[in-house]
């Protein structure tokens, strides 16, 4: 125990170094959304629509990251944009968005846990094994080795996520650093091997080029297919904004956050867009096992199968399985810090703000894991995973929209109070960037559920639109019970939690 530390406290610790924050941000984003989610998007919309949606969402996310980074460097707190909404817009929106984003992280953890169940199918033949004929397996209701493995894998994955999040944050950051490094290296390697495969080094020894953009085609399912591809792209980029949540535990946020945001934005956009292009030119959209409810294989693994090197596809699938663990770590870490922030703000029971002697809010870790436990009970992993994918994507789009709104309000308050000179990481896209983020995401939120109407499919409609009334309902609950109001620019608090790296220089500047 450190000198002066209590066995229980209510404070996080600033223990994350610059390299850990960079890789936590970068690697935490790369998960099942990229490795598994783009398969269903490719099947629904075609390779050209998939690439276009990733490019457009990528631009929106880049502008979002710069807007958020500007505020996170100014006020490095664990609650991130949810706290900023309360400081610069309205406390009721902060209440609604923080609870919604916490729910988003619990759902994201559940989706990554379920993804591990889907990914092990690559190694499991869909046949009944000899174990099913034994009296032992019959007695305990076990039908096959396949069922045992599929049941055990997500349980082990969830237990590993919880265990790793119970570690001191510097230890957690180090483990996540290496898990993320493996993912980054794998995506880069995939892009190289995918291009080599496309040029003729494959099982058929044939040049592929853009053959599959002609037959079966570059687009699929018309406008409905194209517009629905945006929700898959949003799911793949989900988590980029949670880099700011780590600000509350950064050793030197003024130096580490800008560097992490710049490098992450460039690398994620480059790897994602190149990766999506490589998938689209090597895998036709009508490949079995990619689409929606029947999803059971990553298109990345299929490309490695086509490459033809023995064991390459299995190795790739194993890395993707580890990425599900890493992405689950990231979701649980972010959700835990949000629940901690809710408790500190009085929006959740105070017990969730209690930290152990290592500065880990352990009760918040357990609470954030609960939904994933419930998802282990589902007998339709593919359908459930696809349903959760849509909810997570829409939740992130709502968050990105409010980051844009908050950025505009934050800048206006700085001008009004003559404190713009305090910005250490100014957003160079302001004001165009925040407006672009708001407009694009509002359009996506309204129209990307197009295919749920023709014909009308209630469960699909629910996955696209349930988030909107949920956030509105949470907002109204707090608004009506606490009578909060939209803050004016003079009322906004720009001093509490402001991270001033040079108090004397600030005093001189204001003088």
């Amino acid at each position: 125990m450190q000198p002066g530390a209590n066995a229980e406290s209510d404070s996080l610790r600033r223990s994350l170094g610059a390299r850990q924050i960079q890789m936590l941000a970068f690697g935490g984003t790369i998960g099942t959304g990229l490795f598994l989610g783009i398969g269903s998007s490719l099947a629904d919309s075609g390779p050209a629509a998939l690439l276009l949606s990733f490019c457009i969402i990528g631009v929106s996310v880049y502008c979002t990251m710069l807007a958020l980074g500007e505020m996170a460097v100014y006020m490095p707190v664990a609650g991130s944009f949810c706290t900023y909404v309360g400081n610069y817009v309205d406390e009721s929106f902060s209440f609604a968005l923080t609870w919604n984003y916490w729910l988003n992280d619990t759902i994201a953890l559940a989706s990554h846990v379920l993804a591990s169940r889907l990914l092990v199918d690559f190694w499991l033949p869909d046949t009944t094994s000899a174990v099913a004929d034994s009296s032992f397996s019959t007695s305990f209701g076990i039908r096959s080795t396949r069922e045992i493995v599929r049941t055990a894998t997500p349980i082990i994955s969830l237990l590993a996520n919880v265990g790793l999040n119970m570690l001191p944050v510097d230890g957690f950051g180090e483990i996540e650093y290496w898990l993320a490094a493996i993912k980054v290296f794998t995506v880069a390697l995939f892009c190289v091997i995918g291009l080599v495969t496309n040029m003729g080094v494959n099982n058929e020894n044939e040049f592929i080029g853009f053959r599959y953009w002609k037959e079966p085609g570059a687009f699929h399912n018309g406008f409905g297919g194209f517009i629905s591809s945006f929700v898959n792209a949003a799911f793949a980029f989900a988590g980029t904004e949670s880099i700011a949540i780590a600000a509350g535990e950064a050793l030197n946020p003024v130096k580490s956050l800008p560097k992490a945001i710049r490098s992450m934005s460039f690398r994620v956009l480059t790897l994602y867009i190149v990766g999506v292009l490589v998938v689209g030119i090597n895998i036709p959209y009508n490949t079995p096992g990619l689409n929606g409810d029947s999803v059971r294989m990553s298109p990345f693994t299929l490309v490695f199968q086509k490459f033809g090197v023995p064991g390459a596809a299995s190795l790739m699938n194993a890395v993707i399985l580890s990425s599900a663990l890493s992405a689950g770590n990231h979701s649980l870490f972010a959700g835990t810090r949000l629940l901690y922030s809710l408790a500190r703000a009085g929006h959740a029971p105070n017990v969730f703000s209690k930290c152990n002697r290592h500065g880990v809010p352990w009760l918040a870790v357990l609470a954030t894991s609960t939904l994933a436990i419930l998802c282990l009970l589902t007998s339709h992993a593919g359908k459930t995973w696809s349903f959760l994918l849509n909810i997570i994507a829409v939740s992130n789009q709502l968050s990105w929209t409010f980051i844009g709104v908050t950025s505009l309000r934050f800048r206006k308050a700085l001008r009004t109070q003559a404190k713009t000179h305090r910005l250490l990481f100014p957003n160079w896209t302001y004001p165009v960037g925040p407006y672009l983020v708001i407009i694009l995401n509002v359009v996506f939120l309204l129209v990307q559920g197009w295919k749920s109407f023709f014909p009308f499919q209630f469960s699909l409609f629910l996955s696209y639109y349930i988030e909107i009334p949920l956030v509105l309902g949470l907002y109204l609950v707090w608004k009506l019970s606490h009578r909060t109001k939209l803050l004016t620019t003079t009322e906004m608090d720009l001093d509490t939690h402001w991270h001033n790296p040079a108090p004397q220089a600030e005093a001189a500047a204001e003088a």
Side-chain angles (χ1 to χ4, degrees):
M1 184 181 298
Q2 294 181 359
N6 298 320
E8 293 283 343
S9 68
D10 60 356
S11 297
L12 302 176
R13 293 185 182 175
R14 292 192 180 274
S15 305
L16 290 176
R19 71 182 183 89
Q20 291 173 328
I21 287 181
Q22 286 186 57
M23 197 57 78
L24 186 65
F26 188 22
T29 305
I30 301 173
T32 55
L34 176 66
F35 288 126
L36 197 59
I38 64 171
S40 59
S41 186
L42 175 65
D44 287 341
S45 60
L50 176 65
L51 182 61
L52 282 173
S53 65
F54 266 75
C55 289
I56 295 170
I57 290 287
V59 170
S60 173
V61 167
Y62 176 69
C63 293
T64 303
M65 291 303 300
L66 292 178
L68 180 59
E70 178 181 75
M71 293 184 286
V73 172
Y74 188 93
M75 182 194 291
V77 293
S80 183
F81 68 89
C82 299
T83 300
Y84 308 146
V85 170
N87 281 11
Y88 310 130
V89 185
D90 186 339
E91 184 188 352
S92 295
F93 276 121
S94 176
F95 173 83
L97 286 174
T98 310
W99 272 114
N100 182 68
Y101 200 67
W102 174 79
L103 180 62
N104 170 68
D105 282 322
T106 65
I107 294 172
L109 173 62
S111 74
H112 298 312
V113 168
L114 280 178
S116 69
R117 179 173 167 178
L118 296 171
L119 288 165
V120 294
D121 280 351
F122 175 77
W123 294 297
L124 302 175
D126 195 10
T127 57
T128 301
S129 135
V131 72
D133 298 325
S134 70
S135 58
F136 175 84
S137 63
T138 303
S139 300
F140 287 91
I142 299 172
R143 295 189 298 275
S144 66
T145 302
R146 174 190 177 90
E147 182 180 329
I148 297 171
V149 175
R150 293 184 84 233
T151 302
T153 300
I155 294 174
I156 294 170
S157 177
L158 179 58
L159 290 175
N161 287 145
V162 174
L164 289 171
N165 272 271
M166 289 295 187
L167 295 175
V169 71
D170 52 347
F172 167 83
E174 191 64 23
I175 293 173
E176 188 58 30
Y177 174 87
W178 291 107
L179 285 173
I182 292 171
K183 290 192 294 185
V184 172
F185 173 77
T186 301
V187 176
L189 180 64
F190 166 80
C191 292
V192 174
I193 289 181
L195 290 172
V196 170
T197 300
N198 186 266
M199 290 186 289
V201 184
N202 52 55
N203 292 327
E204 291 78 25
N205 293 318
E206 291 182 356
F207 176 77
I208 299 174
F210 283 82
R211 175 192 307 172
Y212 300 128
W213 289 44
K214 297 178 181 178
E215 181 60 42
F219 293 91
H220 184 48
N221 289 328
F223 175 76
F226 172 62
I227 202 66
S228 68
S229 66
F230 285 96
V231 77
N232 296 76
F235 176 70
F237 281 105
T240 50
E241 69 290 335
S242 62
I243 180 178
I245 293 175
E249 292 166 273
L251 283 169
N252 191 342
V254 171
K255 288 187 177 180
S256 58
L257 284 176
K259 189 174 181 180
I261 289 170
R262 288 193 193 100
S263 62
M264 187 198 74
S265 300
F266 174 75
R267 292 171 185 172
V268 166
L269 288 175
T270 302
L271 283 182
Y272 269 41
I273 291 172
V274 174
V276 166
L277 175 62
V278 169
V279 166
I281 60 178
N282 283 292
I283 305 296
Y285 68 71
N286 56 0
T287 302
L290 295 179
N291 192 23
D293 297 344
S294 63
V295 59
R296 65 178 186 274
M297 193 174 297
S298 167
F300 282 65
T301 303
L302 293 175
V303 172
F304 268 64
Q305 269 188 331
K306 188 170 288 191
F307 184 53
V309 175
S314 286
L315 179 61
M316 184 68 193
N317 205 61
V319 172
I320 296 173
L321 190 58
S322 74
S323 80
L325 172 65
S326 176
N329 277 339
H330 186 79
S331 298
L332 183 53
F333 176 86
T336 297
R337 272 57 188 176
L338 286 168
L339 186 54
Y340 167 87
S341 298
L342 281 164
R344 290 294 298 267
H347 297 167
N350 187 58
V351 68
F352 294 122
S353 70
K354 299 299 180 183
C355 300
N356 62 19
R357 64 191 181 93
H358 299 298
V360 177
W362 63 281
L363 287 172
V365 172
L366 296 177
T368 306
S369 309
T370 52
L371 185 62
I373 296 173
L374 295 176
C375 285
L376 295 177
L377 304 176
T378 181
S379 59
H380 302 286
K383 289 182 179 180
T384 305
W385 187 80
S386 297
F387 184 84
L388 297 180
L389 181 154
N390 290 346
I391 292 178
I392 295 166
V394 172
S395 176
N396 275 272
Q397 289 167 333
L398 283 167
S399 298
W400 297 339
T401 301
F402 275 95
I403 288 172
V405 172
T406 306
S407 174
L408 294 173
R409 300 269 299 166
F410 170 66
R411 277 296 195 103
K412 187 175 181 180
L414 286 174
R415 289 196 306 272
T416 301
Q417 299 183 31
K419 294 176 179 177
T420 306
H421 63 277
R422 288 182 174 183
L423 289 177
L424 298 176
F425 183 50
N427 172 16
W428 69 268
T429 68
Y430 175 86
V432 175
Y435 278 115
L436 184 65
V437 168
I438 296 167
I439 293 169
L440 284 177
N441 282 288
V442 168
V443 171
F444 297 150
L445 286 166
L446 294 177
V447 303
Q448 65 193 1
W450 176 275
K451 67 177 183 180
S452 67
F453 292 97
F454 305 101
F456 183 73
Q457 303 168 67
F458 179 72
S459 63
L460 191 60
F461 172 83
L462 205 63
S463 70
Y464 279 117
Y465 294 107
I466 187 62
E467 279 287 316
I468 298 174
L470 175 63
V471 170
L472 181 60
L474 288 169
Y475 166 78
L476 290 175
V477 165
W478 199 258
K479 187 78 172 177
L480 296 175
S481 62
H482 289 75
R483 302 295 179 181
T484 63
K485 63 176 182 177
L486 184 70
L487 296 171
T488 65
T489 53
T490 55
E491 292 173 328
M492 296 179 196
D493 183 3
L494 296 173
D495 297 316
T496 304
H497 301 302
W498 167 48
H499 188 81
N500 183 5
Q504 294 180 349
E506 165 64 17
E510 290 189 341

